[in-house]
Amino acid sequence: MEELNMRMILFYVFSFIMVASALGVVLHRNPVKSAMFLVSFFVGLAAMYALLGAEFLAVVQILVYVGAIMVLFLFVIMLISVREENFESPGSNLGRTAATVLLIGAFAVQFLVMARVFTAGPGINASRPYHGSLGQTGKIIEGNVELLSFKLFQGYLLPFELISIVLLVAAIGAVVLAKKNRRKLQ
Amino acid sequence: MNLFSINDLIATAPALVLVTGAILILLLQIVLPKFRLQAAYGVAIAVTAAAILLLVTGIPTSWQAAGATVQILPPIGTPVPLTEAFNRHVLFSGFVSEFSLLILIALLLLLLNSRRLLAELDLNLVEAYLMMLFSAAGLLYFIAAQDLITLFVALELSSLPLFVLAGWDRHSKSSNEAGIKYFLLSVLATTFLLLGIAFLYGASEGRTNLNELFYSLSRQPQSVRFAPFLFGILGWIFIYAAIAFKTALVPFHGWVADVYEGSITFVTSFMASLIKIAAVAVFFKLVMNTPENHRAIVQPVLMVFAVGSMFYGNLTALVQTNLKRMFAFSSIAHAGYMATLFIFPVGSALLAEIQKEASAALFFYVAGYAATTILVFTVIAFLETGDGEKRRITLEDLKGLGKRNPLAAFLLSLGALSFAGIPPLVGFFGKLYILRVLLGSGQYILALFVAINSLLAVYYYARIVFHCYWDYETEGEKLTGSALRSPAAWISGMALAVTVIGLGLVSSPVLRYALDAMVRFR
């Protein structure tokens, strides 16, 4: 129970950070700061993965999203130099304060309710270690990365391959839509 | 977990053929730079025809690995076995094969028009064919998906090319608007889908396979105080909402009119036919996979979708003057008619029988709807570009069309009359079979709503016919140019017209064929 409560507290802390920074992304007037809020959202998400026992995903989340994609975002934002004045403020200061207070209140209420529920009944079982067996060979797999790779290349082979086509389509589509002089292509 | 085998590839052969064709088009651009457009057009048509052939003739068992039970649609007339492939991520049944066939035929008919229509707008790029093939392949996987993860990825694969196609006319503001609107709202719908999948995953102790979900969820006690049951309900509602967005059902219809009107008409016909076929089929499949205890509670949501779409679509279409917008709203209403088939009486002893009848009626209605939609939008597309520049067609423009452009007037009226449900045409029999299923399963109120809406709809469809043939008082603006301006488009248009008339005449054998094929679902 002790460990469970610690997990729960961490879960609520990180989900609060995530929701608050998600709101920050949408509501902040300065695009660079919005992007920074997105970074903090991704870090929170990585912490969530770690809490669920998926350490590998947590690391990949940080590397790919925070490392690669956010840098690209910031690069583009700074390249096209959007100004703060270009955006209308989505709400008054009073409104934003009210939203923050409401958010904190909602989390507090939910936390208290959940705390009662979980201390009363059987709790979440997120701390269960990962293990599985590989159907035909009967080999027992322990550990995150190995299991993930088996899942990805055997169980979820079809969606995995389909995603590669989706990425191809996205790349072609982006070029077609963004190319300046499409006639010259022909 | 099985290892991957050649049978998995054979089972998804039609979709693979489309993907291969698309990649071939990409490579041909390098090999044959001079004839790249002709090559792309030819390859696109050839692979679509090949995929249809594969579906109709089936694959000889001698090609398959030993002990395999993998079979896609066997030669017409033989019963379809249930075939699972890719670790039960896709499942082929008679239902899936039939709707796949419908999608491929619709794609072929659209492709035949594509070259001329795109060229007249100066938008004939190789990538258009790529996008169409990829999207259609995604739709085939979408229909066949038996796992929610694959369902989601396939949905992405089918919609991503459409975002590009919706914004294809880059110099037109409305096309840009259509593209961005469709993209943003689709992404929102996708998050709904993912949230729904997450809820079902939680409710069923970690399952995403539709079959396993069904058995896991059907064991739950039907009580909202039981948390997994509640999450199951929420999950189904979110997933339904996401698919309802793709089907364009009220209250997820907000994008339809603007996107249908803003995109170039050729793309509109793609969206209104292919996407609708697939979305409706998947919706039906999901409803079939919702266990009875959940369905008893979720059903009112479906009721709102169906009745709301019928009334909203028809009442809004009544006041439209822009032809494309009118057909956009009418497509919402038609989605509503189809959605009435998703509703079954709860706790009926004859559930399996009703569901079978409903699936056959749905197949027939969708086939007729798709043929009519492509016909109507093709005619509109050719009329739009008739005098060299793109223009919007209003009802006023149709005045006296029967005299100036008899073929266009005839085809347009044929489509409108079929939509309205005038007897010898396919639309009438589609509605008749829907009513028969509804009355047969004792849902008299829904049947009444369908009947009322069919009457409402006659008014605006009849207006099109009236303007074409009887309203010479004030001469409308000239719509010149013949209706089908290339041999391929002529073949496609005539095939569609024959389908719209002929499918009505041979409706009962077709329905019987559909019934025979729908042996088992899950």
Side-chain angles (χ1 to χ4, degrees), chain B residues 413-448:
Chain B
S413 309
L414 191 68
L417 290 176
S418 168
F419 270 149
I422 304 298
L425 303 174
V426 65
F428 169 75
F429 288 96
K431 286 210 180 75
L432 185 70
Y433 293 139
I434 286 186
L435 282 175
R436 204 169 69 175
V437 170
L438 290 179
L439 292 175
S441 58
Q443 291 158 300
Y444 301 111
I445 297 183
L446 267 182
L448 184 68

Short mmCIF file of all heavy atoms in Angstrom, two decimals, chain B residues 413-448:
data_model
loop_
_atom_site.label_atom_id
_atom_site.label_comp_id
_atom_site.label_asym_id
_atom_site.label_seq_id
_atom_site.Cartn_x
_atom_site.Cartn_y
_atom_site.Cartn_z
N SER B 413 -30.44 14.18 -63.71
CA SER B 413 -31.80 13.86 -63.28
C SER B 413 -31.90 12.41 -62.83
O SER B 413 -32.57 12.10 -61.84
CB SER B 413 -32.79 14.09 -64.41
OG SER B 413 -32.60 15.36 -64.95
N LEU B 414 -31.20 11.55 -63.56
CA LEU B 414 -31.20 10.14 -63.18
C LEU B 414 -30.68 9.98 -61.75
O LEU B 414 -31.30 9.31 -60.92
CB LEU B 414 -30.31 9.37 -64.16
CG LEU B 414 -30.40 7.85 -64.10
CD1 LEU B 414 -31.75 7.39 -64.58
CD2 LEU B 414 -29.30 7.23 -64.94
N GLY B 415 -29.55 10.63 -61.47
CA GLY B 415 -28.99 10.56 -60.13
C GLY B 415 -29.94 11.11 -59.09
O GLY B 415 -30.18 10.49 -58.04
N ALA B 416 -30.52 12.29 -59.38
CA ALA B 416 -31.42 12.91 -58.42
C ALA B 416 -32.64 12.03 -58.16
O ALA B 416 -33.07 11.85 -57.02
CB ALA B 416 -31.85 14.29 -58.93
N LEU B 417 -33.19 11.45 -59.23
CA LEU B 417 -34.38 10.61 -59.05
C LEU B 417 -34.04 9.35 -58.26
O LEU B 417 -34.84 8.89 -57.44
CB LEU B 417 -34.96 10.23 -60.41
CG LEU B 417 -35.61 11.39 -61.17
CD1 LEU B 417 -36.08 10.93 -62.54
CD2 LEU B 417 -36.79 11.94 -60.38
N SER B 418 -32.84 8.81 -58.51
CA SER B 418 -32.45 7.62 -57.75
C SER B 418 -32.29 7.96 -56.27
O SER B 418 -32.75 7.23 -55.40
CB SER B 418 -31.16 7.06 -58.31
OG SER B 418 -30.63 6.10 -57.43
N PHE B 419 -31.65 9.11 -55.99
CA PHE B 419 -31.52 9.56 -54.60
C PHE B 419 -32.88 9.74 -53.95
O PHE B 419 -33.10 9.41 -52.79
CB PHE B 419 -30.76 10.89 -54.54
CG PHE B 419 -29.28 10.73 -54.42
CD1 PHE B 419 -28.42 11.67 -54.97
CD2 PHE B 419 -28.72 9.67 -53.72
CE1 PHE B 419 -27.05 11.55 -54.84
CE2 PHE B 419 -27.36 9.54 -53.59
CZ PHE B 419 -26.52 10.48 -54.16
N ALA B 420 -33.81 10.28 -54.75
CA ALA B 420 -35.14 10.55 -54.19
C ALA B 420 -35.90 9.26 -53.95
O ALA B 420 -36.85 9.24 -53.17
CB ALA B 420 -35.91 11.46 -55.13
N GLY B 421 -35.50 8.18 -54.62
CA GLY B 421 -36.19 6.91 -54.40
C GLY B 421 -37.37 6.73 -55.33
O GLY B 421 -38.46 6.35 -54.90
N ILE B 422 -37.17 7.02 -56.61
CA ILE B 422 -38.25 6.82 -57.57
C ILE B 422 -38.16 5.38 -58.11
O ILE B 422 -37.06 4.94 -58.46
CB ILE B 422 -38.13 7.84 -58.73
CG1 ILE B 422 -38.13 9.26 -58.16
CG2 ILE B 422 -39.25 7.67 -59.73
CD1 ILE B 422 -39.37 9.66 -57.42
N PRO B 423 -39.27 4.65 -58.16
CA PRO B 423 -39.26 3.20 -58.29
C PRO B 423 -38.29 2.46 -59.19
O PRO B 423 -37.55 1.68 -58.61
CB PRO B 423 -40.71 2.88 -58.62
CG PRO B 423 -41.42 3.86 -57.79
CD PRO B 423 -40.60 5.11 -57.83
N PRO B 424 -38.17 2.65 -60.48
CA PRO B 424 -37.34 1.62 -61.10
C PRO B 424 -35.85 1.76 -60.77
O PRO B 424 -35.07 0.89 -61.11
CB PRO B 424 -37.59 1.84 -62.60
CG PRO B 424 -38.01 3.24 -62.71
CD PRO B 424 -38.64 3.64 -61.43
N LEU B 425 -35.46 2.83 -60.11
CA LEU B 425 -34.03 3.08 -59.89
C LEU B 425 -33.55 2.47 -58.58
O LEU B 425 -34.34 2.09 -57.72
CB LEU B 425 -33.77 4.59 -59.90
CG LEU B 425 -34.23 5.27 -61.18
CD1 LEU B 425 -34.08 6.77 -61.07
CD2 LEU B 425 -33.44 4.76 -62.36
N VAL B 426 -32.23 2.43 -58.45
CA VAL B 426 -31.63 1.67 -57.35
C VAL B 426 -31.95 2.28 -55.98
O VAL B 426 -32.13 1.56 -55.00
CB VAL B 426 -30.10 1.54 -57.57
CG1 VAL B 426 -29.42 2.88 -57.50
CG2 VAL B 426 -29.51 0.60 -56.57
N GLY B 427 -32.06 3.62 -55.93
CA GLY B 427 -32.33 4.26 -54.65
C GLY B 427 -33.62 3.80 -54.02
O GLY B 427 -33.73 3.64 -52.80
N PHE B 428 -34.62 3.54 -54.85
CA PHE B 428 -35.91 3.08 -54.33
C PHE B 428 -35.77 1.74 -53.62
O PHE B 428 -36.26 1.55 -52.51
CB PHE B 428 -36.91 2.97 -55.48
CG PHE B 428 -38.18 2.26 -55.11
CD1 PHE B 428 -39.13 2.90 -54.32
CD2 PHE B 428 -38.41 0.96 -55.51
CE1 PHE B 428 -40.28 2.25 -53.95
CE2 PHE B 428 -39.56 0.30 -55.14
CZ PHE B 428 -40.51 0.95 -54.37
N PHE B 429 -35.05 0.80 -54.29
CA PHE B 429 -34.95 -0.53 -53.69
C PHE B 429 -34.10 -0.50 -52.43
O PHE B 429 -34.37 -1.24 -51.48
CB PHE B 429 -34.41 -1.51 -54.72
CG PHE B 429 -35.42 -1.83 -55.78
CD1 PHE B 429 -35.41 -1.15 -56.98
CD2 PHE B 429 -36.41 -2.77 -55.54
CE1 PHE B 429 -36.37 -1.42 -57.94
CE2 PHE B 429 -37.36 -3.04 -56.51
CZ PHE B 429 -37.35 -2.37 -57.71
N GLY B 430 -33.07 0.37 -52.43
CA GLY B 430 -32.28 0.50 -51.21
C GLY B 430 -33.15 0.88 -50.03
O GLY B 430 -33.11 0.25 -48.97
N LYS B 431 -33.98 1.91 -50.22
CA LYS B 431 -34.86 2.35 -49.13
C LYS B 431 -35.87 1.27 -48.78
O LYS B 431 -36.21 1.06 -47.62
CB LYS B 431 -35.58 3.63 -49.53
CG LYS B 431 -34.68 4.83 -49.52
CD LYS B 431 -35.46 6.08 -49.19
CE LYS B 431 -34.54 7.28 -49.18
NZ LYS B 431 -34.16 7.71 -50.54
N LEU B 432 -36.36 0.58 -49.82
CA LEU B 432 -37.34 -0.48 -49.59
C LEU B 432 -36.77 -1.55 -48.67
O LEU B 432 -37.42 -1.97 -47.71
CB LEU B 432 -37.74 -1.09 -50.93
CG LEU B 432 -38.86 -2.12 -50.88
CD1 LEU B 432 -40.17 -1.44 -50.56
CD2 LEU B 432 -38.95 -2.87 -52.19
N TYR B 433 -35.51 -1.95 -48.95
CA TYR B 433 -34.93 -3.01 -48.12
C TYR B 433 -34.66 -2.53 -46.72
O TYR B 433 -34.81 -3.29 -45.75
CB TYR B 433 -33.65 -3.54 -48.77
CG TYR B 433 -33.91 -4.26 -50.06
CD1 TYR B 433 -33.09 -4.10 -51.17
CD2 TYR B 433 -35.02 -5.10 -50.19
CE1 TYR B 433 -33.36 -4.76 -52.35
CE2 TYR B 433 -35.30 -5.75 -51.37
CZ TYR B 433 -34.47 -5.57 -52.45
OH TYR B 433 -34.74 -6.21 -53.62
N ILE B 434 -34.26 -1.26 -46.59
CA ILE B 434 -34.07 -0.72 -45.23
C ILE B 434 -35.39 -0.79 -44.47
O ILE B 434 -35.46 -1.27 -43.34
CB ILE B 434 -33.56 0.73 -45.28
CG1 ILE B 434 -32.09 0.75 -45.70
CG2 ILE B 434 -33.70 1.40 -43.92
CD1 ILE B 434 -31.46 2.11 -45.65
N LEU B 435 -36.47 -0.32 -45.12
CA LEU B 435 -37.77 -0.34 -44.46
C LEU B 435 -38.18 -1.76 -44.12
O LEU B 435 -38.75 -2.01 -43.06
CB LEU B 435 -38.82 0.30 -45.38
CG LEU B 435 -38.79 1.82 -45.41
CD1 LEU B 435 -39.77 2.35 -46.44
CD2 LEU B 435 -39.14 2.37 -44.03
N ARG B 436 -37.86 -2.70 -45.00
CA ARG B 436 -38.26 -4.07 -44.75
C ARG B 436 -37.55 -4.62 -43.51
O ARG B 436 -38.17 -5.27 -42.67
CB ARG B 436 -37.92 -4.95 -45.96
CG ARG B 436 -38.79 -6.18 -46.02
CD ARG B 436 -38.62 -6.88 -47.33
NE ARG B 436 -37.29 -7.47 -47.44
CZ ARG B 436 -36.93 -8.23 -48.47
NH1 ARG B 436 -37.79 -8.46 -49.44
NH2 ARG B 436 -35.73 -8.74 -48.53
N VAL B 437 -36.25 -4.32 -43.39
CA VAL B 437 -35.53 -4.78 -42.21
C VAL B 437 -36.10 -4.14 -40.95
O VAL B 437 -36.33 -4.81 -39.94
CB VAL B 437 -34.03 -4.45 -42.33
CG1 VAL B 437 -33.31 -4.71 -41.03
CG2 VAL B 437 -33.41 -5.28 -43.44
N LEU B 438 -36.36 -2.81 -41.03
CA LEU B 438 -36.85 -2.11 -39.83
C LEU B 438 -38.21 -2.64 -39.42
O LEU B 438 -38.46 -2.89 -38.24
CB LEU B 438 -36.93 -0.60 -40.10
CG LEU B 438 -35.59 0.11 -40.25
CD1 LEU B 438 -35.80 1.58 -40.52
CD2 LEU B 438 -34.76 -0.08 -38.99
N LEU B 439 -39.10 -2.83 -40.40
CA LEU B 439 -40.44 -3.32 -40.06
C LEU B 439 -40.36 -4.77 -39.59
O LEU B 439 -41.05 -5.16 -38.65
CB LEU B 439 -41.37 -3.21 -41.27
CG LEU B 439 -41.70 -1.77 -41.67
CD1 LEU B 439 -42.53 -1.75 -42.95
CD2 LEU B 439 -42.45 -1.07 -40.55
N GLY B 440 -39.49 -5.55 -40.23
CA GLY B 440 -39.36 -6.95 -39.85
C GLY B 440 -38.87 -7.13 -38.44
O GLY B 440 -39.20 -8.11 -37.78
N SER B 441 -38.05 -6.16 -37.94
CA SER B 441 -37.55 -6.31 -36.58
C SER B 441 -38.37 -5.48 -35.60
O SER B 441 -37.97 -5.32 -34.46
CB SER B 441 -36.07 -5.90 -36.53
OG SER B 441 -35.93 -4.58 -36.97
N GLY B 442 -39.49 -4.95 -36.06
CA GLY B 442 -40.42 -4.30 -35.14
C GLY B 442 -40.05 -2.90 -34.72
O GLY B 442 -40.49 -2.41 -33.68
N GLN B 443 -39.20 -2.21 -35.53
CA GLN B 443 -38.84 -0.84 -35.15
C GLN B 443 -39.67 0.13 -35.98
O GLN B 443 -39.18 0.76 -36.91
CB GLN B 443 -37.34 -0.63 -35.38
CG GLN B 443 -36.53 -1.44 -34.42
CD GLN B 443 -35.13 -1.67 -34.93
OE1 GLN B 443 -34.94 -2.25 -35.98
NE2 GLN B 443 -34.16 -1.20 -34.17
N TYR B 444 -40.92 0.25 -35.59
CA TYR B 444 -41.86 0.98 -36.43
C TYR B 444 -41.59 2.47 -36.44
O TYR B 444 -41.79 3.15 -37.44
CB TYR B 444 -43.29 0.70 -35.96
CG TYR B 444 -43.62 -0.76 -36.01
CD1 TYR B 444 -43.80 -1.51 -34.85
CD2 TYR B 444 -43.69 -1.43 -37.24
CE1 TYR B 444 -44.06 -2.86 -34.91
CE2 TYR B 444 -43.94 -2.78 -37.30
CZ TYR B 444 -44.13 -3.50 -36.13
OH TYR B 444 -44.36 -4.83 -36.19
N ILE B 445 -41.12 3.00 -35.31
CA ILE B 445 -40.91 4.45 -35.26
C ILE B 445 -39.77 4.86 -36.18
O ILE B 445 -39.87 5.82 -36.94
CB ILE B 445 -40.61 4.89 -33.81
CG1 ILE B 445 -41.85 4.56 -32.96
CG2 ILE B 445 -40.29 6.36 -33.75
CD1 ILE B 445 -41.76 4.98 -31.55
N LEU B 446 -38.69 4.08 -36.16
CA LEU B 446 -37.57 4.37 -37.06
C LEU B 446 -38.03 4.29 -38.51
O LEU B 446 -37.68 5.13 -39.34
CB LEU B 446 -36.44 3.37 -36.84
CG LEU B 446 -35.35 3.75 -35.86
CD1 LEU B 446 -34.31 2.65 -35.81
CD2 LEU B 446 -34.71 5.05 -36.29
N ALA B 447 -38.84 3.27 -38.81
CA ALA B 447 -39.34 3.11 -40.18
C ALA B 447 -40.15 4.33 -40.59
O ALA B 447 -40.04 4.83 -41.71
CB ALA B 447 -40.18 1.84 -40.28
N LEU B 448 -40.94 4.83 -39.64
CA LEU B 448 -41.75 6.02 -39.91
C LEU B 448 -40.85 7.21 -40.23
O LEU B 448 -41.09 7.95 -41.18
CB LEU B 448 -42.63 6.32 -38.70
CG LEU B 448 -43.60 7.48 -38.87
CD1 LEU B 448 -44.68 7.09 -39.88
CD2 LEU B 448 -44.21 7.88 -37.54
#
